[in-house]
Amino acid sequence: QVQLVESGGGLVQPGGSLRLSCAASGNILGINFMGWYRQAPGKQREFVATITSGGIPNYADSVKGRFTISRDNTKNTVALQMKSLKPEDTAVYYCYAQRYGIGTFGGGTLVTVSS
């Protein structure tokens, strides 16, 4: 089983930046996709970005050009650099990892974008 622990959430003003990090541990051999999902208050969890073990990213349209996902396979970590943050980016952000077709989520970290 894969364990995921996120860090880096917090309060930021609109237009600001924030960096989220996630560390994977446990049965990490065979993880292909890693990434991020988010869940805003009263809404369903939604896809934000993923990155393959080969470094190919994929982004939701709502974050393209503002968020950048990166991955360090040697450290089993994935990061999400968020810029030009908007109030609608406020959500709990969950790290995600897929191993042999099975997905796992971390416990989440709260990002609040507000003045």
Side-chain angles (χ1 to χ4, degrees):
Q1 191 163 351
V2 178
Q3 288 84 45
L4 302 169
V5 177
E6 304 95 338
S7 61
L11 174 64
V12 62
Q13 292 187 342
S17 299
L18 206 60
R19 181 178 175 86
L20 305 181
S21 298
C22 172
S25 61
N27 290 331
I28 58 176
L29 185 65
I31 291 178
N32 46 11
F33 291 98
M34 292 190 76
W36 297 89
Y37 283 70
R38 68 186 180 185
Q39 186 167 15
K43 295 187 177 181
Q44 290 188 333
R45 190 175 298 185
E46 65 176 8
F47 165 79
V48 176
T50 55
I51 186 167
T52 68
S53 55
I56 299 174
N58 186 31
Y59 297 96
D61 288 343
S62 60
V63 306
K64 278 181 182 177
R66 300 188 299 121
F67 292 9
T68 302
I69 190 170
S70 60
R71 179 173 176 171
D72 186 335
N73 291 327
T74 64
K75 297 180 179 178
N76 303 306
T77 59
V78 63
L80 187 69
Q81 179 67 50
M82 305 183 292
K83 298 180 179 179
S84 302
L85 283 161
K86 306 174 182 180
E88 51 264 43
D89 293 316
T90 295
V92 176
Y93 284 70
Y94 297 90
C95 183
Y96 173 81
Q98 187 182 88
R99 177 177 179 267
Y100 300 126
I102 298 174
T104 300
F105 288 97
T109 185
L110 177 63
V111 173
T112 303
V113 184
S114 175
S115 56

